[in-house]
Amino acid sequence: ISTMWARRALAQPLWKQYIIYLGNFLRGDFGVSYTKAGLTVNKVIADGFPFSLTIGIYASLVVVFAGILFGSVCALRQNKLIDRFFMVLSTLGSTIPSFVLATGFLGLVPAFGVDEVAGYIGPVLVIGAFPLSFITRLTRTSLVEVQQQDYIRTARSKGISEFKVIYKHALRNALLPVVTYIGPMVASIVTGSFVIETVFGIPGVGQLFTDSIVNRDYPLIMGITVCFAVLLVLAVLIVDLVYVLIDPRIKLD
């Protein structure tokens, strides 16, 4: 039935085919994959997305909590040994290519698939290396700058404990640029990475997207692109809502 319908659709004038395509597109129907015989684009994405999503969630949690923690420690111990140590690590994490890090984990962690929990260790650490390094440096820079503001000096002169000054006043304002970066970062991570998924043998969205480009599977390319766009919009929307929780001066009307 689907083959007969496709033939009838292709027999229509080009402008009418385009209208039919747009109608299906708006309903979330991206058609049939050119390279995955008998499978719709929605089915192909639904099979691969859980792998990328699971790795992305684990990596995002590690990146956010560890990055903010490391950055805060560096800012509070500026120019000390621990600060220099984390800055060296963050520089290495930002400059070493992901495929080099991925191959370095081979032999230490399961090198193919995610059938067991240990299989997530390598992909999570490798995919989170660059954003973790970036958030560490961004948190440090922002917190160092905020600590030099007048209201921080005023809070300390009033005798407020150092813990409250840092974590209730300084850190909340320092996190605004960090949260801005986290939104698009999460959307990017959860949609997978071709290099990492290829090295570790994970059939995620990142590998599907690259394969679809090489094989000119246009319906699959469009489906994955729309999926990423929707996730990006949702991430930015959540970031805007989180702004209000972090800084009460920001009001959403």
Side-chain angles (χ1 to χ4, degrees), residues 123-150:
V124 166
L125 294 180
V126 174
I127 200 173
F130 176 80
L132 174 59
S133 303
F134 189 88
I135 289 181
T136 299
R137 301 178 71 91
L138 184 61
T139 303
R140 176 189 183 276
T141 302
S142 182
L143 186 55
V144 168
E145 181 180 352
V146 168
Q147 288 185 89
Q148 298 173 357
Q149 300 297 319
D150 292 337

Side-chain angles (χ1 to χ4, degrees), residues 89-142:
L89 288 182
S90 63
T91 301
L92 292 175
S94 301
T95 55
I96 297 178
S98 58
F99 67 88
V100 176
L101 289 175
T103 53
F105 276 95
L106 298 180
L108 301 177
V109 297
F112 188 83
V114 286
D115 296 331
E116 51 187 88
V117 177
Y120 287 99
I121 297 176
V124 166
L125 294 180
V126 174
I127 200 173
F130 176 80
L132 174 59
S133 303
F134 189 88
I135 289 181
T136 299
R137 301 178 71 91
L138 184 61
T139 303
R140 176 189 183 276
T141 302
S142 182

Side-chain angles (χ1 to χ4, degrees), residues 32-179:
V32 180
S33 172
Y34 291 170
T35 57
K36 308 290 183 181
L39 296 179
T40 64
V41 171
N42 292 352
K43 173 62 176 175
V44 174
I45 295 176
D47 290 341
F49 186 66
F51 295 101
S52 298
L53 179 63
T54 303
I55 294 173
I57 291 176
Y58 290 157
S60 298
L61 292 175
V62 172
V63 166
V64 171
F65 288 104
I68 293 175
L69 176 61
F70 295 160
S72 301
V73 171
C74 292
L76 298 177
R77 297 292 184 268
Q78 187 179 5
N79 298 325
K80 300 294 178 62
L81 179 61
I82 191 171
D83 177 30
R84 298 181 186 277
F85 174 74
F86 279 119
M87 287 301 98
V88 170
L89 288 182
S90 63
T91 301
L92 292 175
S94 301
T95 55
I96 297 178
S98 58
F99 67 88
V100 176
L101 289 175
T103 53
F105 276 95
L106 298 180
L108 301 177
V109 297
F112 188 83
V114 286
D115 296 331
E116 51 187 88
V117 177
Y120 287 99
I121 297 176
V124 166
L125 294 180
V126 174
I127 200 173
F130 176 80
L132 174 59
S133 303
F134 189 88
I135 289 181
T136 299
R137 301 178 71 91
L138 184 61
T139 303
R140 176 189 183 276
T141 302
S142 182
L143 186 55
V144 168
E145 181 180 352
V146 168
Q147 288 185 89
Q148 298 173 357
Q149 300 297 319
D150 292 337
Y151 71 90
I152 297 297
R153 286 193 288 266
T154 301
R156 284 172 173 157
S157 66
K158 290 182 177 180
I160 300 177
S161 66
E162 188 67 13
F163 179 83
K164 287 186 177 180
V165 170
I166 295 299
Y167 293 98
K168 186 176 181 180
H169 299 286
L171 186 58
R172 290 182 66 176
N173 289 330
L175 286 180
L176 289 177
V178 178
V179 172

Side-chain angles (χ1 to χ4, degrees), residues 142 146 149 151 167-180 238-253:
S142 182
V146 168
Q149 300 297 319
Y151 71 90
Y167 293 98
K168 186 176 181 180
H169 299 286
L171 186 58
R172 290 182 66 176
N173 289 330
L175 286 180
L176 289 177
V178 178
V179 172
T180 303
I238 293 174
V239 166
D240 290 340
L241 297 176
V242 172
Y243 279 158
V244 181
L245 301 178
I246 295 177
D247 191 347
R249 295 173 300 177
I250 301 175
K251 300 296 181 182
L252 297 179
D253 295 330

